[in-house]
Amino acid sequence: MEHDLAVQVSGRQLCPECGHALVATDERFTSWCADCEWNVDPAPPASEPGRLAAVRRRLARRHGEELAAAMAGEGTNRPRRDAPSLLALGLALLVHGVTLALAVAGLLLVALGWETVVQPIGGAVLLVVAFVLRPRMHGIPQAGPVLYRADAPRLFELIDDVAAVTGTAGVHAVVVDADFNAAVTAYGWRRRRVLVLGLGLWEILTPRERLALLGHELGHFANGDVRHGFLICQAMRSLSLWVETLAPSRAHTVWDTLFNIMAYLPRCAAYGLLVLLDHLTLRAAQRAEYQADLSAARAGSTEGAVALLDRVLVADSVQTLMRREAVAAQMTGGAAGRAAREAAERGLWERIAEHVSSIPAHEHERLRRVSVRRGHGVDDTHPPTHLRRERLALSEPQPARVDFGDERAAAVATELAPARTTVARQVVTGLAR
Ligand SMILES: [Zn+2]
Ligand SMILES: [Zn+2]
């Protein structure tokens, strides 16, 4: 990468490693060396967040690299489900099949063994177990204000346009929250589509980047990720419950010991299946992310999609600012405190956007380099951000296919205004997650 960092060199501070001048003159940001990368990542994370998450992150990096190479030659056509993801789906159905079998066995025991007393009791236990293990339909996410088509027709129209470009249909509801993220999911038995729009991210994006964000999220619907994700995710939940329930207890009596011995093999089986499902789905999930990035480019242009991935890297900075705003507003009590909170709410999103636009080029460059070093991913199932960026940069350049001009942007902003105020209040009063 050719970056003209020399221009920003202060001329005073020199690198203790290689003697070249350091970048960064702004005391808000880290001083680092663009030549030898001295101090580029002054505070690397101390440890990984847990065993399964650490394994997943390592695998995510490995798969991410393999996939990026393997997919480099592919076009934007839909992914065919590969063998691992079909196997995962089969295993998930098997897990749900066990739950169903328990329910059926329970019913039969109750119905056919009615006179025996013992059998109905056993049947009732099986029915309760099956009930606990059943796939659960979630309601609409409760993170913040919910918008339906009637509340925000222009926003839904924009989402429809992006959906059409990515080859799918729009959503039934939009949930607005404070997160530095966006997500799609389905809720209820009718599997209605919902888009969760995090204002922490949305508010710092340009129109083109917003199109890319919507394109990425709707791309997950287009690729069937949400549908498959549900069955597999519920199977994993069911397996986790098995593992927990069958966990060995401290042996006080001979019965405890007997239980521990009998539970050992089923527990190993459940745990093994859980790990297997996790591994099988990880690769598919990563492929899905690369595909969704291509949808992002189709909606908001390749440049927009790449710029969006650069934006993702300022997450920490935005989240720190939000926390600071919340703490500052809560410091004063009484009437003065209320005035302070109201003042903080009013310009919150503008201040965040202003802060992000004040981040100098050398800091963006440092964040990019840190992301390469750490293998930064949006979470532990996403491929590393720098690989997604590279993959996009290598794909055939796409123009933006959806119009998001000033008039439309203003209309959408007006529709989002009430939710914006509500979510700003959640942030300032510390109610946002
Ligand atoms: Zn140096
Ligand atoms: Zn995604």
Side-chain angles (χ1 to χ4, degrees), residues 151-152 154 407-420:
D151 307 317
R154 298 297 302 274
E407 189 273 329
R408 193 173 213 184
V412 168
T414 308
E415 290 176 348
L416 279 173
R420 226 169 153 252

XYZ file of all heavy atoms in Angstrom, residues 151-152 154 407-420:
123
model
N -44.613 3.731 9.460
C -43.860 4.743 10.216
C -42.788 5.410 9.370
O -42.405 6.542 9.617
C -43.141 4.096 11.417
C -44.095 3.299 12.285
O -45.194 3.817 12.533
O -43.736 2.175 12.675
N -42.236 4.647 8.425
C -41.075 5.152 7.681
C -41.105 4.649 6.240
O -40.257 3.858 5.832
C -39.798 4.714 8.387
N -40.336 5.882 3.368
C -39.181 6.137 2.481
C -38.012 5.232 2.850
O -37.266 4.769 1.993
C -38.762 7.619 2.553
C -39.819 8.603 2.092
C -40.185 8.433 0.626
N -39.074 8.575 -0.292
C -38.633 9.736 -0.786
N -39.207 10.860 -0.438
N -37.638 9.766 -1.636
N -32.239 14.250 -1.635
C -33.660 14.314 -1.297
C -34.078 13.076 -0.504
O -34.715 13.158 0.537
C -34.478 14.452 -2.591
C -35.946 14.750 -2.381
C -36.804 13.498 -2.200
O -36.474 12.439 -2.781
O -37.789 13.576 -1.465
N -33.647 11.927 -0.998
C -33.997 10.673 -0.348
C -33.338 10.579 1.040
O -33.975 10.160 2.005
C -33.526 9.519 -1.222
C -34.104 8.204 -0.819
C -33.741 7.115 -1.804
N -34.816 6.149 -1.892
C -34.745 5.041 -2.619
N -33.675 4.797 -3.349
N -35.739 4.194 -2.640
N -32.074 10.991 1.098
C -31.352 10.941 2.378
C -32.064 11.801 3.419
O -32.227 11.384 4.578
C -29.918 11.406 2.185
N -32.526 12.982 2.981
C -33.209 13.883 3.915
C -34.525 13.261 4.385
O -34.870 13.316 5.574
C -33.467 15.230 3.250
N -35.275 12.652 3.451
C -36.558 12.037 3.808
C -36.350 10.901 4.804
O -37.089 10.775 5.789
C -37.264 11.534 2.547
N -35.342 10.086 4.546
C -35.062 8.958 5.447
C -34.634 9.475 6.821
O -35.064 8.964 7.864
C -33.983 8.026 4.834
C -33.455 7.031 5.861
C -34.545 7.289 3.622
N -33.794 10.519 6.818
C -33.337 11.091 8.095
C -34.521 11.610 8.901
O -34.585 11.441 10.125
C -32.327 12.198 7.846
N -35.500 12.255 8.219
C -36.681 12.774 8.916
C -37.461 11.622 9.554
O -37.918 11.727 10.692
C -37.593 13.525 7.915
O -36.785 14.474 7.226
C -38.723 14.223 8.619
N -37.583 10.533 8.805
C -38.335 9.399 9.351
C -37.619 8.758 10.535
O -38.248 8.224 11.444
C -38.552 8.344 8.259
C -39.530 8.802 7.197
C -39.662 7.803 6.062
O -38.837 6.869 5.963
O -40.602 7.963 5.270
N -36.296 8.815 10.493
C -35.524 8.200 11.576
C -35.391 9.118 12.800
O -34.961 8.674 13.870
C -34.122 7.814 11.085
C -33.999 6.506 10.307
C -32.597 6.354 9.734
C -34.338 5.308 11.195
N -35.760 10.399 12.634
C -35.498 11.381 13.690
C -36.061 10.986 15.062
O -35.336 11.063 16.064
C -35.995 12.750 13.258
N -37.353 10.562 15.149
C -37.857 10.203 16.489
C -37.066 9.056 17.124
O -36.737 9.109 18.320
C -39.301 9.771 16.222
C -39.654 10.341 14.887
C -38.381 10.415 14.109
N -36.742 8.034 16.333
C -35.971 6.900 16.857
C -34.577 7.355 17.284
O -34.042 6.911 18.297
C -35.869 5.806 15.801
N -34.026 8.277 16.511
C -32.711 8.836 16.799
C -32.704 9.490 18.182
O -31.777 9.326 18.959
C -32.443 9.900 15.746
C -31.108 9.879 15.107
C -31.156 10.822 13.933
N -29.830 11.325 13.664
C -29.429 12.555 13.906
N -30.263 13.433 14.398
N -28.197 12.906 13.615
